[in-house]
Amino acid sequence: MSTETTPGTADDEAAGTAAKDTTADHRRTDDTAGDTPAGNASVGNASSGDAPVDGDGKATVPAPRFGLPGRPLRRSSPFYIGFVGGLGLITAWFLAQAFAGIKDVLVLILISFFLAAGLNPFVERLQKLGLPRKWSVATVAISFLLVIAGFVAAIAQPLAEQTTDLINSIPDKLTELLHNEQFKRLDEKYGIIDKAKEAAADANTAESVAGGLLGFGKLILNSVFDTLTVLCLTLYFLGSLPSIKEAIYRLFPSSRRPRVRALGEEIIGGIGGYVNGMLIVASCAGISSYVFLVILDLEFALPLALVVALTDLIPMIGATIGAVVVSAVAFFDSPGKALACVIFYVAYQQFENYLVYPRVMKRAVNVPPAITIIAALVGAALLGVTGALLAIPIAAGVLLILREVVTPRQDRA
């Protein structure tokens, strides 16, 4: 039998042969690309128009030099969850340690920012009068320093003299106390003098006193350093407050910046008003105390009035602390004067709490009395006196955000 090949069969065999040749060319091209020593030659040729081509003239994609990437890790994998969670815990621990280490510095920065916000309204008033920002800041800063220097110069000498007289008068006051009949009865019953002598003769007493003096010296040096730091930072924040605010506003999306800017200006304005209001309230307490103590003819009127003014800056308990100090000093002079001091400060605290403080603070911060007490207690528990001072304006800012942002969003939900 003769074998015949039909035309269609010949064409199919030719097409199959061409496909095999094309596949072989592809394999040779891939092998050649993978064995290129430089590894970047194929890429460079492809970018310059000389990429490898197959049998049909089409460019081929070279294989990666280091092979194809594998499948990514599944985020639901226990290994992935545990590893990422462990890294998160370690990072949080390090951040907490870092925050604890710089807590004192952060407190100084926060105090400086609050003081700058309190002085900023005076700068803005000068700007409205046509004075440039830098000259307004310089004027307010110099005036602030001059006020502090004048205040210190006015009270430094009498305060030092009266404080020295107060310390020198303690032995005489103690002698008078020893001749008091009521104190004698208490001493016979409880042995107060004998216990005091034993404590004074104890060897540990001198060491405790020396340690206390050393600690007091360190406290004075730290206080001076912190005061200078706060003063420098306050002046810096006051000069660059607009740029600091704009930098913070730019952290938010552009569509929300106008609303964030309005809320931020309201919060900063509230902080400035609160600082000015506290200074006004403390000044009223100090002036009233000085006038009353002069009328009462009590010695050391100036330093005692200064103590009352400084302690009155502390919310809730500051006025009480100042009243206790003044009444205790007055008791050494006369029990009648001490009783008069107690009556005066009880009456003045009612006057301040219900008339002076609400009228002054109404324009600055709008915080309910219950929130004020809670904020002051929480701030005092976290940062002591500084926390109590800063808690109320922070609470006012939080309430503003809740009232203007959170509550409307919940109403729309």
Coordinates of all heavy atoms in Angstrom, one line a residue, residues 320-376:
T320 N -8.2 77.7 101.5 CA -8.3 77.1 102.9 C -6.8 76.9 103.4 O -6.6 77.2 104.6 CB -8.9 75.7 102.8 OG1 -10.2 75.8 102.3 CG2 -9.0 75.1 104.2
I321 N -5.9 76.5 102.6 CA -4.5 76.4 103.0 C -4.0 77.7 103.5 O -3.4 77.9 104.6 CB -3.6 75.8 101.9 CG1 -4.1 74.4 101.6 CG2 -2.2 75.8 102.3 CD1 -3.3 73.8 100.4
G322 N -4.2 78.8 102.7 CA -3.7 80.1 103.1 C -4.4 80.6 104.4 O -3.7 81.2 105.3
A323 N -5.7 80.3 104.6 CA -6.4 80.7 105.8 C -5.8 80.0 107.0 O -5.7 80.6 108.1 CB -7.9 80.4 105.6
V324 N -5.5 78.7 106.9 CA -5.0 78.0 108.0 C -3.6 78.5 108.4 O -3.3 78.7 109.6 CB -4.9 76.5 107.6 CG1 -4.1 75.7 108.7 CG2 -6.3 75.9 107.5
V325 N -2.8 78.9 107.4 CA -1.4 79.4 107.7 C -1.6 80.7 108.5 O -0.9 81.0 109.5 CB -0.6 79.6 106.4 CG1 0.7 80.3 106.7 CG2 -0.3 78.2 105.8
V326 N -2.4 81.6 108.0 CA -2.6 82.9 108.6 C -3.2 82.8 110.0 O -2.7 83.5 111.0 CB -3.5 83.8 107.7 CG1 -3.8 85.1 108.4 CG2 -2.8 84.1 106.4
S327 N -4.1 81.9 110.2 CA -4.8 81.8 111.5 C -3.8 81.2 112.5 O -3.8 81.5 113.7 CB -6.0 80.9 111.3 OG -6.9 81.4 110.4
A328 N -2.9 80.3 112.0 CA -1.9 79.7 112.9 C -0.9 80.7 113.4 O -0.5 80.7 114.6 CB -1.2 78.5 112.2
V329 N -0.5 81.6 112.5 CA 0.4 82.6 112.9 C -0.2 83.6 113.8 O 0.4 84.1 114.8 CB 1.0 83.3 111.6 CG1 1.8 84.6 112.0 CG2 1.8 82.4 110.8
A330 N -1.5 83.9 113.5 CA -2.2 84.9 114.4 C -2.5 84.3 115.8 O -2.5 85.1 116.8 CB -3.6 85.3 113.8
F331 N -2.6 83.0 115.9 CA -2.8 82.4 117.2 C -1.6 82.6 118.2 O -1.8 82.7 119.4 CB -3.0 80.9 117.0 CG -3.3 80.1 118.3 CD1 -4.5 80.2 118.9 CD2 -2.3 79.4 118.9 CE1 -4.7 79.5 120.1 CE2 -2.5 78.7 120.1 CZ -3.7 78.8 120.7
F332 N -0.4 82.7 117.6 CA 0.8 83.0 118.5 C 0.7 84.4 119.0 O 1.3 84.7 120.1 CB 2.1 82.7 117.7 CG 2.4 81.3 117.5 CD1 2.1 80.7 116.3 CD2 3.0 80.6 118.5 CE1 2.5 79.4 116.1 CE2 3.3 79.2 118.3 CZ 3.1 78.6 117.1
D333 N 0.1 85.3 118.3 CA 0.0 86.6 118.7 C -1.2 86.8 119.7 O -1.0 87.4 120.8 CB -0.2 87.6 117.5 CG -0.1 89.0 117.9 OD1 0.0 89.3 119.1 OD2 -0.1 89.9 117.0
S334 N -2.4 86.3 119.4 CA -3.5 86.4 120.2 C -4.6 85.4 119.8 O -4.9 85.4 118.5 CB -4.1 87.8 120.2 OG -5.3 87.8 120.9
P335 N -5.2 84.6 120.7 CA -6.3 83.7 120.2 C -7.5 84.5 119.7 O -8.2 84.0 118.8 CB -6.7 83.0 121.5 CG -5.4 83.1 122.4 CD -4.8 84.4 122.0
G336 N -7.7 85.7 120.2 CA -8.8 86.5 119.6 C -8.5 86.9 118.2 O -9.4 86.9 117.3
K337 N -7.3 87.3 117.8 CA -6.9 87.6 116.4 C -7.1 86.4 115.6 O -7.5 86.5 114.4 CB -5.5 88.2 116.4 CG -5.4 89.5 117.0 CD -4.0 90.1 116.8 CE -3.8 91.5 117.4 NZ -2.5 92.0 117.3
A338 N -6.7 85.2 116.1 CA -6.8 84.0 115.3 C -8.3 83.7 115.0 O -8.7 83.3 113.9 CB -6.2 82.8 116.1
L339 N -9.2 83.9 116.0 CA -10.6 83.7 115.8 C -11.1 84.7 114.8 O -11.9 84.4 113.9 CB -11.3 83.9 117.1 CG -12.9 83.7 117.1 CD1 -13.2 82.3 116.6 CD2 -13.5 84.0 118.4
A340 N -10.6 85.9 114.8 CA -11.0 86.9 113.8 C -10.6 86.5 112.4 O -11.3 86.7 111.4 CB -10.5 88.3 114.2
C341 N -9.4 86.0 112.3 CA -8.9 85.5 111.0 C -9.8 84.4 110.5 O -10.1 84.3 109.3 CB -7.5 85.1 111.1 SG -6.3 86.4 111.4
V342 N -10.2 83.5 111.3 CA -11.0 82.3 110.9 C -12.4 82.9 110.4 O -12.8 82.5 109.3 CB -11.2 81.3 112.1 CG1 -12.3 80.3 111.7 CG2 -9.9 80.7 112.4
I343 N -13.0 83.8 111.1 CA -14.2 84.3 110.7 C -14.1 85.1 109.4 O -15.0 85.0 108.5 CB -14.8 85.3 111.8 CG1 -15.1 84.4 113.1 CG2 -16.1 86.0 111.3 CD1 -15.5 85.3 114.3
F344 N -13.0 85.9 109.3 CA -12.9 86.7 108.0 C -12.7 85.7 106.8 O -13.3 86.0 105.8 CB -11.6 87.6 108.2 CG -11.2 88.2 106.9 CD1 -11.9 89.3 106.4 CD2 -10.1 87.7 106.2 CE1 -11.5 89.9 105.2 CE2 -9.7 88.3 105.0 CZ -10.4 89.4 104.5
Y345 N -11.8 84.7 106.9 CA -11.6 83.9 105.8 C -12.8 83.0 105.4 O -13.0 82.7 104.2 CB -10.3 83.1 106.0 CG -9.1 83.9 105.8 CD1 -8.2 84.2 106.9 CD2 -8.7 84.4 104.5 CE1 -7.1 85.0 106.7 CE2 -7.6 85.1 104.3 CZ -6.8 85.5 105.4 OH -5.7 86.2 105.2
V346 N -13.5 82.6 106.4 CA -14.7 81.8 106.1 C -15.7 82.7 105.3 O -16.3 82.3 104.3 CB -15.4 81.3 107.4 CG1 -16.8 80.7 107.1 CG2 -14.5 80.2 108.0
A347 N -15.9 83.9 105.8 CA -16.8 84.9 105.0 C -16.2 85.2 103.7 O -17.0 85.3 102.7 CB -17.0 86.1 105.9
Y348 N -14.9 85.4 103.6 CA -14.3 85.8 102.3 C -14.4 84.7 101.3 O -14.6 84.9 100.1 CB -12.9 86.2 102.4 CG -12.2 86.6 101.1 CD1 -12.5 87.9 100.6 CD2 -11.4 85.7 100.4 CE1 -11.9 88.2 99.3 CE2 -10.9 86.1 99.2 CZ -11.1 87.3 98.7 OH -10.6 87.7 97.4
Q349 N -14.2 83.4 101.7 CA -14.3 82.3 100.8 C -15.7 82.2 100.2 O -15.9 81.9 99.1 CB -13.9 81.0 101.5 CG -12.4 80.9 101.8 CD -12.0 79.6 102.4 OE1 -12.8 78.6 102.3 NE2 -10.9 79.6 103.1
Q350 N -16.7 82.4 101.1 CA -18.1 82.4 100.5 C -18.3 83.5 99.5 O -18.9 83.3 98.4 CB -19.1 82.6 101.7 CG -19.0 81.5 102.8 CD -19.1 80.1 102.2 OE1 -19.9 79.8 101.4 NE2 -18.2 79.3 102.7
F351 N -17.7 84.7 99.8 CA -17.8 85.8 98.9 C -17.1 85.5 97.6 O -17.6 85.8 96.5 CB -17.2 87.1 99.5 CG -17.1 88.3 98.6 CD1 -18.2 89.0 98.3 CD2 -15.9 88.6 98.1 CE1 -18.1 90.1 97.4 CE2 -15.7 89.7 97.3 CZ -16.8 90.5 96.9
E352 N -15.9 84.9 97.7 CA -15.2 84.6 96.5 C -15.8 83.5 95.7 O -15.9 83.6 94.4 CB -13.7 84.2 96.9 CG -12.8 83.8 95.7 CD -11.5 83.3 96.2 OE1 -10.7 84.2 96.6 OE2 -11.2 82.1 96.1
N353 N -16.3 82.4 96.3 CA -16.9 81.3 95.6 C -18.2 81.6 94.9 O -18.4 81.0 93.9 CB -17.1 80.1 96.6 CG -15.8 79.6 97.2 OD1 -14.7 79.7 96.5 ND2 -15.9 79.0 98.3
Y354 N -19.0 82.5 95.5 CA -20.3 82.8 94.9 C -20.4 84.1 94.1 O -21.3 84.3 93.4 CB -21.3 82.8 96.0 CG -21.5 81.4 96.6 CD1 -20.9 81.1 97.8 CD2 -22.3 80.4 96.0 CE1 -21.1 79.8 98.4 CE2 -22.5 79.2 96.5 CZ -21.9 78.9 97.7 OH -22.1 77.6 98.3
L355 N -19.4 85.0 94.3 CA -19.5 86.3 93.6 C -18.3 86.5 92.7 O -18.4 86.8 91.5 CB -19.7 87.4 94.6 CG -21.0 87.5 95.3 CD1 -21.0 88.6 96.3 CD2 -22.2 87.6 94.4
V356 N -17.1 86.5 93.3 CA -15.9 86.9 92.5 C -15.6 85.8 91.5 O -15.5 86.1 90.3 CB -14.7 87.1 93.5 CG1 -13.5 87.4 92.7 CG2 -15.0 88.2 94.5
Y357 N -15.4 84.6 91.9 CA -15.0 83.5 91.0 C -15.9 83.3 89.8 O -15.5 83.2 88.7 CB -14.7 82.2 91.8 CG -14.0 81.1 91.0 CD1 -12.6 81.1 91.0 CD2 -14.7 80.2 90.3 CE1 -11.9 80.1 90.4 CE2 -14.0 79.2 89.6 CZ -12.6 79.2 89.6 OH -11.9 78.2 88.9
P358 N -17.3 83.1 90.1 CA -18.2 82.9 88.9 C -18.2 84.1 87.9 O -18.2 83.9 86.7 CB -19.5 82.8 89.6 CG -19.2 82.3 91.0 CD -18.0 83.0 91.3
R359 N -18.1 85.3 88.4 CA -18.1 86.5 87.5 C -16.9 86.5 86.7 O -16.9 86.9 85.5 CB -18.3 87.8 88.3 CG -19.7 87.9 88.9 CD -19.8 89.2 89.7 NE -21.1 89.3 90.3 CZ -22.2 89.9 89.7 NH1 -22.1 90.4 88.5 NH2 -23.3 90.0 90.4
V360 N -15.7 86.2 87.3 CA -14.5 86.3 86.5 C -14.4 85.2 85.5 O -14.0 85.4 84.4 CB -13.3 86.3 87.5 CG1 -12.0 86.2 86.8 CG2 -13.3 87.6 88.4
M361 N -14.7 84.0 86.0 CA -14.5 82.8 85.1 C -15.7 82.6 84.1 O -15.5 81.8 83.2 CB -14.4 81.5 86.0 CG -13.1 81.5 86.8 SD -11.7 81.5 85.7 CE -10.4 81.7 86.9
K362 N -16.8 83.3 84.2 CA -17.9 83.1 83.3 C -17.5 83.4 81.9 O -18.0 82.8 80.9 CB -19.1 83.9 83.8 CG -20.3 83.7 83.0 CD -21.5 84.5 83.5 CE -22.8 84.2 82.7 NZ -23.9 85.0 83.2
R363 N -16.7 84.4 81.7 CA -16.2 84.9 80.4 C -15.1 84.0 79.9 O -14.8 84.1 78.7 CB -15.8 86.3 80.4 CG -16.9 87.3 80.9 CD -16.3 88.7 80.9 NE -17.3 89.7 81.4 CZ -17.1 91.0 81.5 NH1 -15.9 91.5 81.2 NH2 -18.1 91.8 81.9
A364 N -14.4 83.3 80.7 CA -13.3 82.5 80.3 C -13.6 81.1 79.9 O -13.4 80.6 78.8 CB -12.2 82.5 81.3
V365 N -14.1 80.3 80.9 CA -14.4 78.9 80.7 C -15.9 78.6 81.2 O -16.4 79.3 82.1 CB -13.5 78.0 81.5 CG1 -12.1 78.1 80.9 CG2 -13.4 78.4 83.0
N366 N -16.5 77.7 80.5 CA -17.9 77.3 80.8 C -17.9 75.9 81.3 O -18.1 75.0 80.5 CB -18.8 77.5 79.6 CG -20.2 77.3 79.9 OD1 -20.6 77.3 81.1 ND2 -21.0 77.1 78.9
V367 N -17.6 75.7 82.6 CA -17.5 74.3 83.1 C -18.4 74.2 84.3 O -18.4 75.1 85.2 CB -16.0 74.0 83.6 CG1 -15.9 72.6 84.1 CG2 -15.0 74.2 82.4
P368 N -19.3 73.2 84.3 CA -20.2 73.1 85.5 C -19.4 72.9 86.8 O -18.3 72.4 86.7 CB -21.0 71.8 85.1 CG -20.9 71.7 83.6 CD -19.5 72.3 83.3
P369 N -19.9 73.3 87.9 CA -19.2 73.1 89.2 C -18.8 71.7 89.5 O -17.7 71.4 90.0 CB -20.2 73.6 90.2 CG -21.1 74.6 89.5 CD -21.2 74.0 88.1
A370 N -19.7 70.7 89.2 CA -19.3 69.3 89.5 C -18.1 68.9 88.6 O -17.2 68.2 89.1 CB -20.5 68.4 89.2
I371 N -18.1 69.3 87.4 CA -17.0 68.9 86.5 C -15.7 69.6 87.0 O -14.6 69.1 86.9 CB -17.3 69.3 85.0 CG1 -18.5 68.5 84.6 CG2 -16.1 68.9 84.1 CD1 -18.4 67.0 84.6
T372 N -15.8 70.8 87.5 CA -14.7 71.5 88.0 C -14.0 70.8 89.2 O -12.8 70.6 89.2 CB -15.1 72.9 88.5 OG1 -15.7 73.6 87.4 CG2 -13.9 73.7 89.0
I373 N -14.9 70.3 90.1 CA -14.4 69.6 91.3 C -13.7 68.3 90.8 O -12.6 67.9 91.3 CB -15.5 69.3 92.3 CG1 -16.1 70.6 92.8 CG2 -15.0 68.4 93.4 CD1 -17.3 70.5 93.7
I374 N -14.4 67.5 89.9 CA -13.8 66.3 89.5 C -12.5 66.5 88.7 O -11.5 65.7 89.0 CB -14.9 65.5 88.6 CG1 -16.1 65.1 89.4 CG2 -14.2 64.3 88.0 CD1 -17.2 64.6 88.6
A375 N -12.5 67.5 87.9 CA -11.2 67.7 87.1 C -10.1 68.1 88.0 O -9.0 67.7 87.8 CB -11.5 68.8 86.1
A376 N -10.4 69.0 89.0 CA -9.3 69.4 90.0 C -8.8 68.2 90.8 O -7.6 68.0 91.0 CB -9.9 70.5 90.9

